[in-house]
Amino acid sequence: MNQETKLKLLKQIILISAAFCILVAFLLIVNFWQMKKSNPLESQTIEALVQRLAVDDNNEELRKEIRSFDLLARKAYFTSAWQVKTGAYLLFFGGVVLALALKIRTDIQRKIEPPETITDDPMMNKFVSHRWLLVTGGLVFTLALLSAFLSNDYLKSYDPGQFVDTETSSQTETIEVIPIVESVATEKGDSAILSNAVEPVPQAVAETGGAPDTPKTVVKLAKAEDFKKNQSTFRGFLGQGISFHKNIPTNWDGSSGTNVKWKISLSKPGYNTPVIWGDKLFIAGADKTSRVVSCYNRHTGKLLWEKEADNIPGSPATPPKTTDDTGLAAPTMTVDGNCVYALFGTGDLIAFDLDGNRIWAKNLGVPANHYGHSSSLITWNGKIVVQYDTAKGGRMIAINTANGDFIWDIPRANKVSWSSPTLLESKGKMLIITSADPNVIANDLETGAEVWKSPVMSGEVAPSPGVFNNIIFVSNEYAKTVALDAENGGKVIWETDEYLSEVASPVAINGLLFLATSYGVLVCYDAMTGENVWEKEFSSGFYSSPMIAENKVYIIDMSGVMHIIKADRTGTIVKEPELGEAAFALPVFADGKIYLRGKSSLYCIGE
Amino acid sequence: MKNIGHKIVFLSFFVLILVQANAQRFPKPEFESGYEQPSPTTPEPRSNALEYLDVLILFASLSLASWLVIKRRSRRGVLWLSIFTLLYFGFYREGCICSVGSIQNITLALFDPVYKISITVLIFFLLPLVFALFFGRTFCAGACPLGAIQDILVFRPVSIPVWVRKALGFIPYLYLGLAVLYAATGTDFIICRYDPFVGFFRMDGPYTMIIIGIALLLLGLFFARPYCRVFCPYGVLLNWMSRFSKYHMTITPAECISCKLCEPSCPFDAIEIPVSEKVRTQKVLRQNLKRFSLYALLIPVWMFIGGYAVSSSHVLLSKAHQDVYLSELLIAHPELKSDTKNLDIKAFLESGKTFDELVANASLIRAKFKSGGWFLGGFLGLVIGIMIMNQFVFRTKTIYEPHKGDCFSCGRCMDYCPVVKLK
Ligand code: SF4
Ligand code: SF4
């Protein structure tokens, strides 16, 4: 073989082995990148399934599914590991061949190279270098400055005590804040707590060195009668579903405009029910891009203000996934005359005063909830009560209305739920009653302490508890309807599985319990015995809950027909006016008026 | 080309480590049968005697390197020495103890009164600098494992344009400054955390670290000793010292005859070529002087801008501190506050500290970064100011010489010189 052919051959070997090495390296990188992207070890599918298993831990099918997914992930992982290993050996082998060929070729070709002539002009070099140094220095310092604008100093948004939980807060010294309470005219039949409205609340304020007798903030709290005057919470006064308003219209037609005082279309979707304080009506809406609270003049329908709930520390950059029938603005807001409080599916809790000034905001932690968080807020005695049952554990939370601080925050063993708290005064205490899988729990509003619990519920609980004379009614589809004795540790009084509610919450008055199902049955039980008094079937189902006003049951079905029925043993249908659009929110009452949220519009109805 | 064989062996070796590092990443199974995972044990510290042995070996290698390159003028000798260093300080001592990283121990000792520095670390920091002050960077030639692993893999070095080298030459100062800032605030030892080759020495390491290491070594086939030239923070100090070295190695054993033969020999572009008088006219000289004075006057401005800029980036810079990171994580995601699956949070919860304390400490650290940022930025401004100013300084030069600051004293150029020393 002469020199020429040798060189030719070597060139070919070099080309082929180099191509081979590049190909293998490329495949290795692709493999690495794929593994990084799919990362079988942290499969989201498995995680989601495991989460489901946490809710439903007897599901053998699910277990099997998880196991097979796990096996698949392991297989993917080890196959890729094998590929990497084999690839590495191939690369090594190719590299050796390439290097040998290169070496032999260089040896053959070696000759003395004459020194290059100097073409570099040192002056010019230095001049160009000085420019590039200017660029480098400028770039580094500009980047540093830029980072100052782009990075977020979370430490500044921290207020001390933000993370104090119950155990630690009991150790912190607290100052009693005495709210100014005006003397209250006791209403007949009102009990002690209700008539004193809202006793001075000791609001926990972490000791900051101030004299112990100077209150930090003095908040004027609303009285019980104010709450009765305004449907300020989901299901009205104490969340019990009963309105105290008079002259409620019974006749309207949304599409022709009969008795429609005004109608406005809403900028953002939401399943929350509007709330009212005085002349103002508040409503929340949210989509993926933003979350807003809007305030309208309830007499004219004029938009007074609309504010975004944004820039909240801890709020997720992308909102959690929710289903279309829940969305990010399912929880109903609550208003107490000082502020309106809104909670969104992102876990953002925000307070605006009635003029739309933002007072405080915080994130409660993004709720792990496969439909979306929907439990509504309720406020009483300077506290906002939040039922925060998520797939990662349940919490009952009381938040200081004045500053958004946690008053107490108690973990609980309940699974994720969608129901809202109901308040009930029992034995001189204001109790928070909540229904979730597996426990119906009564917590003391003041301390958060669990007063009793009753393990009677199961499944994905959405209906909130109803109340009549210290009897509590809970219901859920695929579970049962149960009446519990609130004064007797939550003892079961009666139960039935004849009709079960999926979403609508039961309401009780006059010794009768009304329950609506998602397949269109409204049933009336004797509240004491559970005896079926009457039942009516309608063509459309109920997601909205029955409300009682002027001794009539008002319940709007999913097609937008309001069924107005006497709340007595006859169950006479009074009227069935139509809204003309789908409806899921509850009717909101004010004297002589009724406000209805349709799927996209808000109606004010008055005769 | 001579060492192609072991170059390939090394390369394949890295790939295998990569595979190895990958294979260990599978999470341990969760046992339901009650099996208890054995708890990890902490290895014993190295005995004093062995530590002194390290010091001794460092001293011996430095002396030997200096002797080999200055007296014996043997490139081959230096090569074998660097292979020994690679094996001993690299693979046997697993890249730790290391002069490059010792900067951080020294800094921390200066700023944290509680932190005690061992005499060995101090010697490891000082000895190479002292040698550099007399003999040039012989440490880089034969006693630094990081330098050795790159030096062995110099394959087809290409010459890098001056302006690129100058611009990249700022990075080591930046790295040094950041390393000092992070060590002084007790945040992190970034030189160690981002040491690209320690993964090879320990045959284990995070995937990205190994990838970066391999990338650097591959780059080093053409851009010789990339870590030394573009990153090494210790190199900055060695460079300063070496500029004063009296006995620095020379290319020629006797008189340089300007034959130009050595010109392409340095893979690191460290040879300075003669600059003749005639390039400079009076006009150019005047212009240069003007520029020189202008840039000299601008140095304080650079320092102020630098100080202001770096200090205002303190929010970003301080995020690397564990307490700051954890505080911000929890403020941003309060739902994690009892998430024991997150090891950082678990450790914090077990420490018994309150969240208020954590945030208070984080704020303190952040404040330190703010004031430290002024020093770091001022220093960087000074460096860039001087570097720019220096571009208008010309010294006449008649012979081929290594740049005392940049030369690694590897000895390659010596073999190219045809001049023989007459006995
Ligand atoms: S420049 Fe730094 S890394 Fe390179 S040999 Fe010198 S000390 Fe070691
Ligand atoms: S000894 Fe010679 S070849 Fe080595 S770095 Fe110095 S000038 Fe370059």
Side-chain angles (χ1 to χ4, degrees), chain B residues 249 265-268 270-271 402 407-413:
Chain B
M249 64 83 60
S265 67
C266 178
F268 318 109
I271 295 179
C407 168
F408 297 119
S409 297
C410 71
R412 283 185 177 84
C413 52

Side-chain angles (χ1 to χ4, degrees), chain A residues 452-492:
Chain A
W452 53 257
K453 73 174 169 207
S454 184
V456 294
M457 264 302 120
S458 62
E460 301 187 329
V461 183
S464 312
V467 158
F468 175 72
N469 272 359
N470 279 312
I471 303 178
I472 293 178
F473 306 97
V474 288
S475 178
N476 189 35
E477 191 143 75
Y478 307 119
K480 50 195 172 184
T481 299
V482 192
L484 304 165
D485 187 349
E487 299 228 297
N488 208 347
K491 210 179 112 213
V492 175

Side-chain angles (χ1 to χ4, degrees), chain A residues 547-559:
Chain A
M547 287 282 294
I548 309 279
E550 289 187 307
N551 260 315
K552 293 179 212 105
V553 179
Y554 279 74
I555 180 158
I556 194 162
D557 67 27
M558 288 190 235
S559 69

Side-chain angles (χ1 to χ4, degrees), chain A residues 32 41 74 77 88 92 96 99 103 106 123 126-127 130 132 144 147-148 152-154 158 161 163 314 363 365, chain B residues 1 4 8 12 15 19 22 26 163 207 284 291 295 312-313 319 328 330 332 334-335 355-356 366 391 393-394:
Chain A
F32 172 69
L41 300 190
R74 275 166 205 266
Y77 177 82
F92 172 56
V96 170
K103 174 164 173 58
T106 340
M123 285 269 308
K126 286 208 162 190
F127 189 73
H130 115 272
W132 282 99
S147 83
N152 201 344
D153 190 349
Y154 285 105
Y158 174 75
F163 278 81
N363 187 286
Chain B
M1 284 304 278
I4 190 104
I8 297 304
S12 48
V15 178
V19 177
N22 188 31
F26 204 81
W163 64 267
Y207 212 98
V284 170
R291 288 222 171 94
Y295 283 117
S312 37
S313 70
K319 283 184 198 286
E328 294 205 324
L330 287 173
E335 75 275 10
F355 195 74
D356 279 357
R366 187 152 272 174
Q391 301 314 306
V393 180
F394 292 90

Side-chain angles (χ1 to χ4, degrees), chain A residues 513-535:
Chain A
L513 169 72
F514 302 93
L515 195 92
T517 70
S518 54
Y519 44 89
V521 172
L522 179 70
V523 58
C524 169
Y525 289 112
D526 184 310
M528 302 302 180
T529 62
E531 167 214 353
N532 183 327
V533 181
W534 51 254
E535 59 185 65

